[in-house]
Amino acid sequence: MTDPKAPAEFILLAGFLGSGKTTLLRDWLALPEAADTAVIVNEAGQIDIDGAVIADSGPLPLAMLSNGCVCCSLTNDLVFTVQSLLEGREKAGLPPYRRIILECSGLSRPGPILRSLGPLAPLGLRVRAVATCDAAQAEARAAHFDEFAAQIAAADVVVITKLDQAAGEAAAALAAGINPLAARVVEPDPARRALAAFTTPPGAALAWPEAAAPHPRIGVHLVEFQDGASWDDRLDWMENLAAFAGERLLRMKGFLHPADDPGAALLVQVVGTLFSPLARLTRTERTPEALVVIARDLSAQDLRSMAPDAPVRISRPAGGARRASAA
């Protein structure tokens, strides 16, 4: 049973043009598990087609952000819209939303959108990203559009779509090469696919990733701190990486052992250059300290040259670890 006092989820639904975001969202809204969901639709064109399609699903709290890409020009509108949805629910005397889903335009990059949510930090929203990946078009999209890689790299869950047009194995492998940290949903049944997409918890992708066929422009690097590295060494290296890589940094995730409690673990979550607050894990088993860095057009040698004297080791994840995957 859902805790009524738990903070709402903010789910960013990303995916390239025509990859099936609206269909996935409609399938989710048809399920009983979608109760207490609010939807925000960002349509980059002047005619809000996706919003009209979602609205046709039935009565639900629906807000539109139109005539602009939310990651470029509508970030203030997004914050205002989220606040209005939450406040309106409270004024109506209704229970809080369980989740707010933002369906982004097909050309949106998740990093700037998530960064814009900073003013909402006091609300304690649990933020995660879901990305759709078209089984029939994934290879072509990855070859020609940086936005595709940014969307897949930011995701906690990657949903393989259009399985009636192509087998999903190749698209799933491509997604794993871009973002081995994400859980992957390869499910032909629409209802089961939607349920897995929006209920797979972020913790499902916490295990160390398996090695996957690399994307030619995307590097997946394992960063480990050497013995004797201080807490400041760790923080300085991460800050230097964000400054050095800029938009080329797509994702970083991993664990650090706090200086005051080496037996504990802090979860590091970075999308683009947006650093989420370090979160202390409640799990009790020993968690290895390391970071997985996903970056575009940056080799391991480039990362080493950024801070050649830093006490770090940079390699490729070896694989063989436990991971979550829905199939």
Side-chain angles (χ1 to χ4, degrees), residues 62-76:
L62 177 65
M64 309 290 187
L65 296 175
S66 59
N67 198 25
C69 176
V70 71
C71 71
C72 303
S73 60
L74 292 173
T75 53
N76 289 336

Side-chain angles (χ1 to χ4, degrees), residues 248-264:
R248 295 175 295 176
L249 176 60
L250 301 178
R251 185 77 183 274
M252 179 164 59
K253 188 172 184 178
F255 308 102
L256 295 180
H257 294 164
D260 60 345
D261 187 2

Side-chain angles (χ1 to χ4, degrees), residues 120-145:
L120 299 176
L123 299 177
L125 297 174
R126 295 174 294 154
V127 178
R128 62 191 181 97
V130 174
T132 51
C133 179
D134 184 336
Q137 298 290 330
E139 185 175 354
R141 301 307 190 207
H144 298 291
F145 297 97

Side-chain angles (χ1 to χ4, degrees), residues 165-181:
Q165 300 177 20
E169 290 79 5
L174 186 149
I178 295 173
N179 182 2
L181 297 169

Side-chain angles (χ1 to χ4, degrees), residues 14 27 34 44 62 69 87 92 98 133 136 143 167 175 187 213 223 229-230 237 268 279:
D27 291 339
L62 177 65
C69 176
E87 292 171 359
R98 295 181 184 180
C133 179
E187 170 57 63
V223 177
S230 67
W237 191 88
V268 177

Side-chain angles (χ1 to χ4, degrees), residues 11-12 55 76 81 86 93 106 135 138 141 152 154 171 191 200 216 228 263 266 276 297 302 304:
I11 301 176
L12 188 154
N76 289 336
T81 299
L86 295 174
R141 301 307 190 207
I152 298 298
T200 298
L266 298 176
S276 298
D297 297 330
D302 292 329
R304 294 188 190 100

